[in-house]
Amino acid sequence: MAIEQILKACFSSLMIVFLGTLLIVGLFLIIRAYQLKATNFYYIGLAWSTEALAQIINQVTSIPESIYAIFSKLSFMLIILFIILTFYNHQKPKKKYYILSIAFLLAILAWFFAAFRTTSQVAYVINRIFDFIINSIALDWLAYCCYITYRHIKNSTIAQWVKMRYKITFIFSPILTLIYLILIFHPYNVPFGDETNTQSLIFYALTAIITFIYGISFAIAWVFPRKFNRKFSKKRVKTEEEIDEDKIMDLIKNQLSTRKSNGDH
Amino acid sequence: MEIIKYLGDILATEISISPPAARGLLKLAIKDQIGPFKKLAEIDLNDLQNVIKGSLSKRLIELEVNDPEIIIDLIENELILNQSLITITKI
């Protein structure tokens, strides 16, 4: 077996880990969304599992690009929905629909270019650029929202796993968009990861490494902390149950009167 | 619920009481506004906005806190800016 084939097999394994992780975490989020009645998590869970399933089916059966692109663009729309419902839920419905309509138009355009990407090199490059733009909008916007929240909560007493979740998301989401940037320069009419084409193999390796890192960090951010959270919650149950209105109001009144008697305004 | 912890910390700084007392005050305001049957985990952004503008504001006035309107505006603004804490921490 040639060294190129061995390398490709190694990088393919990394990609399988990434897709597997994406699918598992996506399904996990859908289940949790159902259990907790958290609608926005249906969207993000569906986005990741749709993307993973489409890529797996594409690798195994080589479905037409136009079909694969539907799932890929659907995933983009679902991430935008998640961002709106999670970070901008206070906005008026009209504004939300306006943003969603723009995203939908972009998804349609991206799908159109994807469907015709094999017709010419120009169409191929335009498709890659559009893919980069829409994925950058979704993932970098998500990263930006997480960064802003993280900046507010980083010095607060909020649990560390929550801060870590935001931190991982804003650090690693933009990294994933790098793949779409790399793919703009992938040679035309060469299968992705072709062992006989060094440039394609290098791009394949970079993609595999980036997605692998993303997959692991993504799983840590969304699945692992829940375990710590459960243990933490069990310790807190007692204090949550011990709320006594009179005691709390007396405590606050005492604290306020002490503050006033100390001349603190 | 981490959002209560976060808003409690801000409220504590604003009216110079201890963070546990501020969290307690927020939870009492939630109980006043929403009733005892809805779990904290089921509360959404709209509920919390109503709590802050309604029962929390009332309780701050009762406690004779200085400039309750300014504090209420600040807490509401912090809630909107960090609304993702309501759902992100559920999972």
Side-chain angles (χ1 to χ4, degrees):
Chain A
M1 196 187 257
I3 184 80
E4 289 88 353
Q5 283 174 319
I6 296 169
L7 281 171
K8 190 176 175 191
C10 292
F11 297 131
S12 296
S13 312
L14 294 181
M15 281 214 192
I16 290 166
V17 172
F18 162 68
L19 291 175
T21 313
L22 209 61
L23 185 63
I24 291 166
V25 177
L27 293 174
F28 166 80
L29 291 176
I30 292 170
I31 294 166
R32 293 294 291 155
Y34 173 74
Q35 289 170 336
L36 300 162
K37 293 172 191 157
T39 322
N40 51 343
F41 279 95
Y42 276 120
Y43 298 121
I44 195 83
L46 271 171
W48 296 128
S49 40
T50 306
E51 181 68 33
L53 272 175
Q55 286 201 30
I56 291 166
I57 293 169
N58 192 33
Q59 297 289 322
V60 177
T61 63
S62 295
I63 52 170
E65 190 62 40
S66 55
I67 305 289
Y68 167 70
I70 291 174
F71 291 105
S72 168
K73 292 358 161 199
L74 180 69
S75 171
F76 157 74
M77 284 296 298
L78 290 166
I79 296 174
I80 298 289
L81 253 173
F82 171 76
I83 294 171
I84 292 172
L85 290 177
T86 310
F87 297 92
Y88 301 92
N89 209 14
H90 64 291
Q91 297 286 0
K92 287 178 180 156
K94 204 177 167 184
K95 202 168 182 182
K96 289 182 199 169
Y97 290 130
Y98 183 65
I99 297 168
L100 277 175
S101 305
I102 295 172
F104 184 69
L105 276 175
L106 280 171
I108 295 282
L109 268 174
W111 174 82
F112 179 80
F113 289 125
F116 293 98
R117 61 181 262 185
T118 49
T119 53
S120 72
Q121 189 164 3
V122 177
Y124 173 80
V125 174
I126 291 173
N127 163 241
R128 293 296 197 195
I129 291 171
F130 240 87
D131 265 358
F132 169 68
I133 291 170
I134 66 161
N135 284 295
S136 187
I137 289 171
L139 296 167
D140 294 340
W141 190 14
L142 178 63
Y144 171 77
C145 294
C146 287
Y147 171 70
I148 295 295
T149 308
Y150 177 77
R151 221 177 53 180
H152 285 130
I153 64 167
K154 69 175 178 184
N155 295 323
S156 74
T157 52
I158 283 177
Q160 282 304 317
W161 66 268
V162 176
K163 294 178 188 173
M164 190 186 77
R165 182 170 281 178
Y166 282 102
K167 200 174 181 179
I168 288 177
T169 310
F170 82 71
I171 291 173
F172 289 98
S173 290
I175 290 176
L176 200 59
T177 58
L178 275 178
I179 294 168
Y180 297 96
L181 188 65
I182 291 169
L183 288 176
I184 295 173
F185 306 100
H186 186 270
Y188 175 61
N189 257 349
V190 174
F192 186 45
D194 188 351
E195 298 98 324
T196 58
N197 186 305
T198 314
Q199 196 185 353
S200 179
L201 195 59
I202 291 170
F203 286 1
Y204 189 79
L206 282 170
T207 305
I209 292 165
I210 291 170
T211 51
F212 177 75
I213 293 169
Y214 181 79
I216 299 297
S217 63
F218 184 66
I220 291 171
W222 291 102
V223 182
F224 289 166
R226 197 175 145 235
K227 250 188 168 178
F228 301 127
N229 182 27
R230 271 187 177 171
K231 281 183 188 170
F232 184 66
S233 298
K234 273 178 195 167
K235 283 178 194 166
R236 274 181 28 180
V237 169
K238 223 178 173 180
T239 51
E240 300 275 349
E241 284 170 352
E242 282 171 356
I243 303 166
D244 183 309
E245 182 165 355
D246 294 335
K247 274 185 192 169
I248 289 172
M249 292 310 281
D250 286 346
L251 177 71
I252 295 165
K253 277 174 189 162
N254 284 338
Q255 288 181 358
L256 286 171
S257 61
T258 313
R259 192 194 70 179
K260 277 176 188 163
S261 64
N262 288 341
D264 179 14
H265 298 289
Chain B
M1 208 182 178
E2 299 298 319
I3 188 75
I4 291 175
K5 208 188 226 183
Y6 179 71
L7 297 178
D9 286 351
I10 293 166
L11 185 61
T13 314
E14 286 303 311
I15 62 173
S16 304
I17 58 171
S18 64
R23 282 199 293 273
L25 184 60
L26 269 171
K27 284 177 187 171
L28 288 177
I30 291 171
K31 215 170 102 182
D32 290 346
Q33 188 85 28
I34 297 169
F37 302 111
K38 196 166 185 177
K39 287 177 189 168
L40 279 180
E42 290 168 4
I43 289 168
D44 60 21
L45 177 68
N46 199 29
D47 289 334
L48 280 173
Q49 275 182 302
N50 290 336
V51 166
I52 291 166
K53 283 187 276 191
S55 51
L56 182 66
S57 172
K58 216 168 133 189
R59 279 193 182 262
L60 288 185
I61 293 166
E62 277 169 15
L63 286 165
E64 295 172 359
V65 168
N66 292 335
D67 303 320
E69 299 88 6
I70 296 171
I71 295 166
I72 290 299
D73 283 348
L74 176 83
I75 300 283
E76 198 193 355
N77 192 38
E78 286 291 339
L79 169 70
I80 287 169
L81 282 172
N82 301 292
Q83 60 186 275
S84 64
L85 281 170
I86 301 169
T87 49
I88 293 265
T89 54
K90 274 187 184 176
I91 299 290

